[in-house]
Amino acid sequence: MAASLEDDDDFLANDFYALLNVGREASTEEINNAFRRLSKIYHPDKHQDAAKKRSAEDVFNKLKKAHEILSDKHRRTIYDTYGEKGLETEGLEVISRTKSPAEIIGTVSVGINATDLFEDYGGDDDDGYYTPTGSVEISNMSIFQSVECPLTVKDTVIIGGNLQARNGTGSGAFLATWRRLTSDKGWMEVETAAGNGLGVSLKGFRQITRRCYGTSAVVLHSTPKGIRPALSAMLAYQFDREVQGRITYNAGFPSCVNTALIYSNQNHHAVLSLQVGVTNSFVSLSYTRKFQEQEAKLKGAVRVGVTGGMLEYGFEKKITQFSNLGASMVIGIPSGVHLKIKVYRGSQTFLFPIHLSESICPTAIVYGTAIPIAAYFVVKKLIVDPFLKQQKEQELEKKREEHAEKLAKRKQEAKAATDLMKETVERNIEAEERKMGLVIIKALYGKLQASDDGELIDRECIDVTVQLQSLVKDSKLIVPEAVSKSGLPGFYDPYIGEEKSLYIRYKFRNRLHQATLGDLEPIRIPQQRHLMKDEQTVKS
């Protein structure tokens, strides 16, 4: 389990997989073999000195606990899901977690009219250059807020409301919704709305088969001209893991039929849609490319219909732990040019649609595309990055102060475990040298920093040469992937919450090798690519 600031005390808890030096997919046989091998070093009966016997007993008890948990299928599942704290529940049973008492969801939209900035472009000016004039005004604003309150495992009440203003005229509505899980395959909800007339709707969802599901809704809305009914139904079918088809029918004002083919996986999302309606028929294609490591998305869409066409492109990027920022350009006929800016903060959404031009204006397109990109990099570089860096440093300092005593204890435990290894390591080195096998010359773990002459600065790291040599078996050193090295026997975390690396210089077949690995990277040595340049020259 890698260290993180969100884990509170968990980052100082034992990682059972790291203690036994096995992967998270290790079999029971691999776990048993690892425990037997480490027992030869840490079993109290292997040591005669009283102090060493006490230290060995402490380490052995941890290894024994790790072995008992990981070799028991039920308790291992609990540990993998909830960590060591999950094992403290009475009877070692998994307790299902329900929703929080209330969850607030909201959307704020502020429409901005900036068309006056571009209205003089292409006019009768003699010089032919664009000069921005006019004013920018807020054309409309809307606010929606709701509170989701689970009553029972099956029943949830949602209370919300919306307010909107456009061109000096305002309106609003109060919403109350009751949702109930009818079975493990469906739900239904009743919603009432009071504001611009009274509205009542009944909605439902049903899983028809393993691959097919459907939704339906009936809406009754009172207007000065009487009751206006509306009906909608949707049927979806999952062709395979990545492809889904949908058909939707809306009967009301206006009526239409829409079919969509959806392709979605971890990195790609595409939707091909065709709609036939009384007032609006169109065909559209949208595509989103997801970049998981960068936590970003690039989006593009095109739509052609009987009332006009539209081209949209944009991006979305995670900027802080709980915040996402997105922007997109919409170029349409006859709608003109729009810039949409979105900010997501938790369950809150802030929308800023900006109308740049009534017609397709090249200058509005260029400005609308370039300015958000430039503003993003400027704000990120000058505001967001310094703020996040300062926040992280403050949190790290607070964590170190809060857990200084526990960290000192872990450091002492690691030293005691290392002392217990030394005799075994000496025999290991002798055996490896006789067959020109694997001998660890130098190993440093922590924040790897180099001095002016290129040498690593030891004070930024801890020496783990003995600890790694103790893991060498048959001239091989293997540490699985996704196991933080701070949990290995004799290791500890010298820099809580910060990125760490491991530097290894080793000898194999009397030739020097070296490698630098990330904290969660697997160790697989020896390897030919680790051969040092001087050794490569000698070989050639």
Side-chain angles (χ1 to χ4, degrees), residues 401-416:
E401 292 176 357
E402 290 176 353
H403 301 282
E405 185 176 344
K406 291 183 179 179
L407 185 58
K409 183 180 178 181
R410 289 297 296 269
K411 183 177 180 180
Q412 185 178 357
E413 291 174 349
K415 183 180 183 304

Side-chain angles (χ1 to χ4, degrees), residues 123-135:
D124 297 330
D125 291 346
D126 294 336
D127 55 14
Y129 289 100
Y130 164 65
T131 304
T133 61
S135 59

Side-chain angles (χ1 to χ4, degrees), residues 291-297 315-327 341-346 348 350 352 372-392:
F291 301 92
Q292 302 294 334
E293 293 185 1
Q294 291 78 20
E295 297 181 298
K297 300 177 182 177
F315 75 98
E316 183 180 316
K317 180 76 170 68
K318 184 174 182 178
I319 53 176
T320 67
Q321 183 180 354
F322 301 107
S323 301
N324 285 45
L325 174 66
I341 297 176
K342 303 177 184 179
V343 179
Y344 305 94
R345 174 69 180 176
Q348 304 292 314
F350 300 90
F352 302 92
I373 295 175
Y376 166 76
F377 286 106
V378 170
V379 171
K380 184 176 186 300
K381 190 71 175 177
L382 299 182
I383 299 177
V384 176
D385 287 350
F387 171 76
L388 293 178
K389 183 179 179 181
Q390 182 182 15
Q391 186 181 50
K392 181 180 178 180

Side-chain angles (χ1 to χ4, degrees), residues 189-360:
E189 69 177 33
V190 178
E191 180 180 274
T192 59
N196 298 328
L198 182 65
V200 180
S201 65
L202 176 64
K203 302 176 183 178
F205 167 88
R206 179 69 180 178
Q207 187 80 34
I208 302 171
T209 66
R210 187 172 64 88
R211 290 176 173 266
C212 181
Y213 68 89
T215 63
S216 61
V218 178
V219 181
L220 298 175
H221 184 68
S222 64
T223 68
K225 296 182 180 181
I227 302 297
R228 175 178 290 183
L231 171 68
S232 68
M234 187 273 292
L235 187 67
Y237 186 82
Q238 197 76 32
F239 294 101
D240 61 26
R241 182 178 297 182
E242 298 179 341
V243 180
Q244 183 185 94
R246 294 181 185 175
I247 181 168
T248 306
Y249 173 67
N250 292 307
F253 301 93
S255 298
C256 66
V257 175
N258 183 285
T259 59
L261 188 64
I262 303 167
Y263 173 82
S264 183
N265 59 26
Q266 188 176 6
N267 297 318
H268 307 276
H269 182 81
V271 180
L272 176 62
S273 178
L274 172 64
Q275 177 172 304
V276 179
V278 176
T279 59
N280 188 18
S281 299
F282 63 84
V283 59
S284 67
L285 176 64
S286 66
Y287 171 74
T288 302
R289 177 68 167 93
K290 306 171 190 176
F291 301 92
Q292 302 294 334
E293 293 185 1
Q294 291 78 20
E295 297 181 298
K297 300 177 182 177
L298 284 178
K299 304 178 181 179
V302 61
R303 185 176 71 184
V304 178
V306 295
T307 59
M310 180 272 294
L311 172 66
E312 180 177 1
Y313 56 89
F315 75 98
E316 183 180 316
K317 180 76 170 68
K318 184 174 182 178
I319 53 176
T320 67
Q321 183 180 354
F322 301 107
S323 301
N324 285 45
L325 174 66
S328 61
M329 281 290 297
V330 182
I331 306 165
I333 299 175
S335 58
V337 181
H338 292 76
L339 170 63
K340 296 180 180 180
I341 297 176
K342 303 177 184 179
V343 179
Y344 305 94
R345 174 69 180 176
S347 58
Q348 304 292 314
T349 303
F350 300 90
L351 306 176
F352 302 92
I354 305 173
H355 195 180
L356 299 179
S357 175
E358 298 282 356
S359 59
I360 298 180

Side-chain angles (χ1 to χ4, degrees), residues 67-223:
H67 174 254
E68 290 175 349
I69 298 301
L70 298 186
S71 58
D72 183 300
K73 184 177 180 181
H74 177 65
R75 293 199 286 177
R76 182 176 179 178
T77 301
I78 296 174
Y79 175 73
D80 289 343
T81 306
Y82 299 109
E84 194 170 355
K85 287 184 178 180
L87 298 168
E88 298 172 1
T89 55
E90 184 177 354
L92 296 177
E93 296 294 334
V94 178
I95 300 175
S96 60
R97 299 181 181 179
T98 58
K99 293 182 179 178
S100 57
E103 184 175 355
I104 300 176
I105 302 172
T107 301
V108 177
S109 178
V110 180
I112 300 173
N113 189 338
T115 56
D116 285 352
L117 294 177
F118 302 95
E119 66 177 5
D120 290 341
Y121 181 69
D124 297 330
D125 291 346
D126 294 336
D127 55 14
Y129 289 100
Y130 164 65
T131 304
T133 61
S135 59
V136 176
E137 61 180 18
I138 296 177
S139 58
N140 61 81
M141 179 181 292
S142 65
I143 300 174
F144 172 78
Q145 198 83 27
S146 69
V147 180
E148 186 173 310
C149 306
L151 301 179
T152 67
V153 175
K154 293 186 175 182
D155 297 285
T156 302
V157 170
I158 304 171
I159 300 174
N162 65 72
L163 295 172
Q164 51 188 349
R166 180 183 292 273
N167 298 325
T169 303
S171 62
F174 171 79
L175 306 172
T177 304
W178 169 60
R179 181 183 298 157
R180 179 175 178 80
L181 294 174
T182 56
S183 68
D184 58 347
K185 295 184 177 180
W187 55 262
M188 61 167 289
E189 69 177 33
V190 178
E191 180 180 274
T192 59
N196 298 328
L198 182 65
V200 180
S201 65
L202 176 64
K203 302 176 183 178
F205 167 88
R206 179 69 180 178
Q207 187 80 34
I208 302 171
T209 66
R210 187 172 64 88
R211 290 176 173 266
C212 181
Y213 68 89
T215 63
S216 61
V218 178
V219 181
L220 298 175
H221 184 68
S222 64
T223 68

